[in-house]
Amino acid sequence: MPGKPGIAWRGGTRATSFPGPHGPERKFCPRDDPMSLVKRAVLLVSGERYLVLSITLCQTALVSRLLTPEEVGLSLIGVALVQVIDGMRDFGTTNYIIHDPTASDRSARTAFTVLFGLSLLLAVGLVASAGIWAQAYGQPLLAPYLRVLSLSFLLVPFSGPLMALMRRDFQFAALVAVNVGTCLTYALVLVALALLGFGAMSFAWAAVAAATASVALSLAGRPQPGIYRPCLTGWRTALAIGGCSSATTLLNRAYDLLPIFLLGRAGGADLVGLYGRAQVVSQLPDKLILGSLASVILPMFAADRRDGRCLAPSYLASIGNITVVLWPVALLMALIAQPVVLVLLGPQWLAGVPVVQVLSLASMLSFPAMLTYPVLLASGGLRDTLTASLISLPPSAVAIALAASGGPLAVAATQFVTVPLQVAVALAFIRRRVPFSLGDLAAAVRISALVTVATALPPLAVIALAGQGFALSVPQGIVAGIGGSAAWLAAMLSLDHPVAGHVRETLRPVLLVLRARLRPAR
């Protein structure tokens, strides 16, 4: 079959050839150890995430001092509207390329054709309805903002399928270049326009510039312009996967952005800006940890399924690896929220400190969230993702709607009710497809809980000695952060958590260099 991955056996070792535009592009021969690919992918994606996060933090720190909360809030309302529509535009086409075991270049062409058609339709709709949205929120500037953002809709189809092919074939080095270059373009254009006085429109034009950069870099990393030739072969399969996937994505994305919509209507753009910036700070642990794994987990579970391996061990191991970092970092963020806000956003955002604390603590409860979709998809439970969302999201949305009139802090507090509900429903569906006991789950996170307690001790000591509650100064926050990080590392190494091995591998080259430099001095 043209374009289908070929499999050859060399002395008991499987080598998989993935097709490029002119024949086989490259071969994987990892001594039949798929985890070697996963580890390399995690290292590459982790490096990318840290680069992207560093760029984003610098951009956020600068823009938060150049623009007002109202301007930031206006941009968040516009982005929220576009992201909900974007959930319909993607229609699961990128996941179709990754998940379909018979995917070929023809599949990518079909995905592009479907994606471009939907993008064109939705871009026209967004332009036509921009004035209505502006009137609904009482923000005249929202209309031109949305019209500019619609331009990026027409560019995304030219990069999305190429990036999906990279993920499918574990070309994470090329993906790193695309994502870092896109992020850097967005940051530079955003800061430059903010300095020039473009206000909220800086975000819109920066998004268009970033989409343009993504197309150029995707073509450079995966030069397959042939996928832009229209094709509808297999479109029923794409829509079958994409329909359920898109509905699930749309529901979850609309739910995640619901606070932005409700606060924008009830309290104005300034409260939206306050809540949005608090989300940025509180989600730093997710971006540091979960974001590094998100691009790898779906291909990893899909590979396990193709090879006939049980998914439960991989799922529980992933839970343990996520929580041993997510829980301590999220708790540490809640304890030192004020100095973090002062450094990252500036004093004009201090009213968001309690919101950051509440959101950070609530994020500790959502540890299985990022694994739900990939494990259900890999285990044949794609429709379960939609069913789980339909069960848990409506009551969660009602809780947020009731709390919206109370402001950002009240909305944030609802997560202590909504997140446990969503996690319980998701685990019920996962355990039907990937059987494991609650005892197995508790065992997977036992060490993580101990490490979290150890991490909290130094910052709690600093807070007690300061005698001002959580209102720490920046120097006190630095001391608390360093103490908590050192306690986390010591606890993880002493308890011999599996992640400790990765830490040792990371630190070993640094220690070797230091020893080599110290020897001549002796």
Side-chain angles (χ1 to χ4, degrees), residues 224-319:
Q224 287 183 245
I227 71 166
Y228 299 148
R229 288 182 292 132
C231 177
L232 290 175
T233 302
W235 66 272
R236 295 181 185 273
T237 303
L239 293 182
I241 293 178
C244 185
S245 172
S246 181
T248 306
T249 300
L250 182 61
L251 276 175
N252 283 275
R253 190 169 294 178
Y255 171 77
D256 290 339
L257 296 169
L258 185 61
I260 301 297
F261 295 133
L262 293 176
L263 288 172
R265 291 281 292 169
D270 56 337
L271 292 186
V272 172
L274 193 68
Y275 186 86
R277 280 296 183 250
Q279 276 189 315
V280 169
V281 176
S282 65
Q283 288 174 356
L284 286 177
D286 285 350
K287 294 184 181 299
L288 279 166
I289 308 141
L290 306 187
S292 301
L293 300 173
S295 299
V296 180
I297 283 177
L298 178 56
M300 180 185 74
F301 282 137
D304 282 349
R305 182 194 179 192
R306 287 193 297 268
D307 294 341
R309 288 188 294 270
C310 177
L311 298 180
S314 295
Y315 178 80
L316 293 172
S318 298
I319 289 287

